[in-house]
Amino acid sequence: MGRMRLAAPLIVVAAAIVIPVPLLAHAGRPPAPHDAWTAWSFDAGIVVPLFAAAWLYSRGVERMWRRSGAGRGVRRWEAACFAGGWLALFVALVSPLHAIGEALFSAHMVQHELLMAVAAPLLVLGRPLLPLLWAVPMRWRRRIGGWARAAPVRAAWRGVTGPFVSWFLHAAALWLWHLPSAYEAAVRSGFVHALQHASFLGTGLLFWWAVIHGREGRMGYGASVLYLFATAMHSGGLGALLTLTSRPWYPAYGASTAAWGLTPLEDQQLAGLIMWVPAGAAYLVAALVLIAAWMRESERRGARWQAGRVLGTM
């Protein structure tokens, strides 16, 4: 009983990886270049959920593999993807990048793209729900399973992971939070900043879940590729606007970029390029991977059809 009481809060905080809760925002003064690499952010509100989720995922995978054999339930490459997504979250939220984002909009952009375009797809590829279930006692598993099978819960999940809804939520989060008034509010308010981070990661998880796992009856390869290209286009468009504008959008960075050898406009242009090129490329690469998988599946179906036709004529 005592061990279960101890595990309960760990389960709750681990949900920050799968069902994100507000992530704590930057605190203190923006770091200068000479002390930035010592500015690690070991905030309990971030570190505890991260390490609790890693422990629970590892425990669940170990239990599954011990019972069914290594690579069963969660394959080795899927576990590696989860580890990569976890590492991306660690870099975005704990490493000095988190603190440098106080001084540079471009660093903040890297942080956000790590959440949306790196951590989110890797975590989804890691299939975290099954290992997290296996990490808890059987009685809890049954209760959670019964709750998840309830009609209202299933309807809500199907709604938010629907192709258009998940794409729209992800796009809305990206564009609305980059409106000058909303972004300034996030920089100046810890609570609003926490909502910003949570919405970027949360809508990213929903979007990538629909794209990756939507083939299982919800979204075919063609639709997944379409939504990935659409995301690359609109996010690249926002990056282009940030890059090509002739004035800074966010006054909050006006006094902190000089120490890093940049003007506020140059810092914004660099941030726009980061969103425009490498972040947009991540969505395009994912689309190309799905196109290749689509072609392989079409070839297999064609081969099966041809084999069936030959057998039918014998």
Side-chain angles (χ1 to χ4, degrees):
M1 181 64 70
R3 295 174 68 182
M4 290 178 63
R5 285 196 298 265
L6 180 60
L10 293 179
I11 302 299
V12 173
V13 295
I17 303 301
V18 182
I19 307 174
V21 297
L23 305 172
L24 298 183
H26 309 284
R29 295 179 302 173
H34 64 272
D35 62 8
W37 299 111
T38 63
W40 293 79
S41 304
F42 292 107
D43 194 303
I46 294 173
V47 173
V48 171
L50 277 175
F51 282 91
W55 180 82
L56 286 166
Y57 185 89
S58 300
R59 181 177 176 84
V61 169
E62 187 272 335
R63 283 182 170 179
M64 285 192 296
W65 288 1
R66 187 174 64 238
R67 178 169 179 174
S68 304
R72 300 291 183 88
V74 171
R75 287 168 283 187
R76 296 179 186 273
W77 69 266
E78 291 172 334
C81 285
F82 183 88
W86 185 93
L87 182 61
L89 287 181
F90 184 86
V91 171
L93 302 174
V94 179
S95 80
L97 177 64
H98 185 69
I100 298 171
E102 298 180 28
L104 295 176
F105 178 36
S106 52
H108 208 173
M109 181 65 74
V110 172
Q111 184 185 32
H112 291 167
E113 294 303 336
L114 281 174
L115 294 176
M116 293 184 290
V118 180
L122 288 175
L123 291 173
V124 169
L125 284 169
R127 294 183 177 269
L129 296 179
L130 187 59
L132 290 180
L133 280 175
W134 273 81
V136 303
M138 178 62 74
R139 185 176 63 174
W140 291 17
R141 245 180 278 170
R142 289 171 179 167
R143 289 182 178 178
I144 295 171
W147 174 80
R149 287 191 294 270
V153 175
R154 294 178 64 183
W157 178 250
R158 288 179 63 85
V160 297
T161 58
F164 178 77
V165 172
S166 60
W167 175 83
F168 177 80
L169 290 174
H170 190 45
L174 185 68
W175 281 85
L176 291 176
W177 281 115
H178 284 91
L179 293 174
S181 57
Y183 198 94
E184 286 287 303
V187 172
R188 300 183 187 281
S189 167
F191 176 75
V192 178
H193 202 166
L195 291 178
Q196 183 191 59
H197 280 183
S199 64
F200 283 155
L201 180 58
T203 61
L205 288 169
L206 292 175
F207 171 74
W208 286 103
W209 188 278
V211 166
I212 294 170
H213 298 309
R215 298 190 305 276
E216 299 170 359
R218 298 300 313 280
M219 189 194 311
Y221 282 112
S224 295
V225 169
L226 174 64
Y227 282 108
L228 282 168
F229 272 112
T231 301
M233 294 302 101
H234 79 72
S235 63
L238 177 56
L241 288 175
L242 290 167
T243 303
L244 301 177
T245 186
S246 59
R247 62 180 181 82
W249 288 8
Y250 310 115
Y253 291 103
S256 58
T257 60
W260 294 81
L262 295 170
T263 66
L265 181 58
E266 290 170 340
D267 180 39
Q268 178 177 296
Q269 290 170 336
L270 178 58
L273 282 173
I274 291 168
M275 178 183 285
W276 190 357
V277 182
Y283 295 103
L284 293 177
V285 168
L288 293 175
V289 169
L290 286 180
I291 289 173
W294 191 5
M295 293 175 65
R296 287 196 300 269
E297 183 172 301
S298 298
E299 290 175 358
R300 288 194 296 268
R301 289 180 177 177
R304 287 196 297 267
W305 178 83
Q306 186 65 31
R309 185 178 180 183
V310 170
L311 290 174
T313 60
M314 294 178 63

